[in-house]
Amino acid sequence: MASSLTAELASAAARLIVEEGMEYGPAKRRAARVLGRASVRAAELPDNDTVEEEVRAYLALFCADTQPAELRALRDVAATWMERLQAFRPHLTGAVWRGTATRLNSVHLQLFCDDAKEAEIELLNRRVDFDVGSIDGPRHRPIDVLSFSTPSEALGEPVTLHLSILDFDDLRGALKADTRGRTERGDLPALRRLLAEEPA
């Protein structure tokens, strides 16, 4: 059972995630600072599952009239780009996949490529202006992340896409479910099933 401090941190982090579009890790650390607990022990920080439940509760309470349509718009953007990048076995991950995204969130796609440069060439051929960054990937090796903006007609504003470039071998463990039966990512057919279940 979560301690009262852990529960308080989870609630504060959830508000930052929804209202400011923050990622989970930074939101938990800022929540600790906001609550005057900057030196909190790692064991007292809520895990991501606990924070996600608080995010879902916050969305249901404060954003029920806007969030479903914003989520659908982001999933439509994801589907469009997954179709365009099918050669790279795209998988959607993050808040847009898990169903907790709002218009403040970015779309996170994972591409499984034999050669990271292939994805860059594809974007160049499509005349996409992108930035190249890097994050820690599987096995704690750095991986390239290609980031760019794309329009969303439904939202009336651009959406940021982040394409994480993973090795083809990493695809094998990509669809394992967590303890609650939720997967961390889904391919295009899985996303289309989600879209078909949502109200248009």
Side-chain angles (χ1 to χ4, degrees):
M1 186 172 171
S3 71
S4 59
L5 173 59
T6 302
E8 194 176 2
L9 288 169
S11 179
R15 182 177 56 78
L16 292 168
I17 289 163
V18 175
E19 293 185 358
E20 300 187 25
M22 292 184 70
E23 299 293 335
Y24 279 42
K28 287 189 279 189
R29 290 190 290 275
R30 196 203 285 181
R33 290 196 302 274
V34 167
L35 296 174
R37 301 292 189 129
S39 59
V40 68
R41 291 179 294 119
E44 291 182 291
L45 286 174
D47 61 26
N48 286 351
D49 284 343
T50 301
V51 174
E52 183 174 298
E53 290 308 314
E54 287 293 323
V55 168
R56 292 182 187 280
Y58 191 97
L59 290 170
L61 191 59
F62 297 108
C63 309
D65 56 338
T66 57
Q67 190 264 345
E70 293 176 4
L71 173 64
R72 182 175 183 89
L74 292 169
R75 284 178 167 173
D76 284 338
V77 168
T80 296
W81 279 96
M82 291 171 83
E83 288 166 4
R84 292 172 181 169
L85 299 169
Q86 276 194 77
F88 307 107
R89 308 163 190 89
H91 284 66
L92 176 62
T93 188
V96 179
W97 169 248
R98 302 278 280 194
T100 57
T102 70
R103 69 193 306 128
L104 297 178
N105 288 103
S106 300
V107 174
H108 292 267
L109 299 182
Q110 294 177 336
L111 307 185
F112 296 88
C113 308
D114 297 316
D115 181 356
K117 293 298 177 189
E118 293 176 359
E120 293 187 25
I121 291 168
E122 177 66 21
L123 292 181
L124 288 170
N125 288 341
R126 290 181 174 275
R127 304 194 192 296
V128 174
D129 183 17
F130 61 91
D131 294 320
V132 181
S134 179
I135 60 170
D136 266 349
R139 298 181 291 279
H140 304 290
R141 295 181 315 191
I143 60 170
D144 287 339
V145 180
L146 313 180
S147 302
F148 59 93
S149 291
T150 189
S152 167
E153 187 176 338
L155 294 177
E157 61 189 44
V159 171
T160 300
L161 266 76
H162 299 292
L163 311 180
S164 298
I165 311 300
L166 297 164
D167 290 338
F168 179 60
D169 290 344
D170 293 323
L171 182 56
R172 273 177 283 181
L175 297 177
K176 289 180 180 172
D178 64 15
T179 55
R180 302 178 189 212
R182 298 172 180 159
T183 57
E184 288 296 324
R185 58 195 62 78
D187 59 11
L188 183 55
L191 176 58
R192 283 177 173 150
R193 286 194 293 273
L194 286 180
L195 287 168
E197 294 166 4
E198 295 174 355

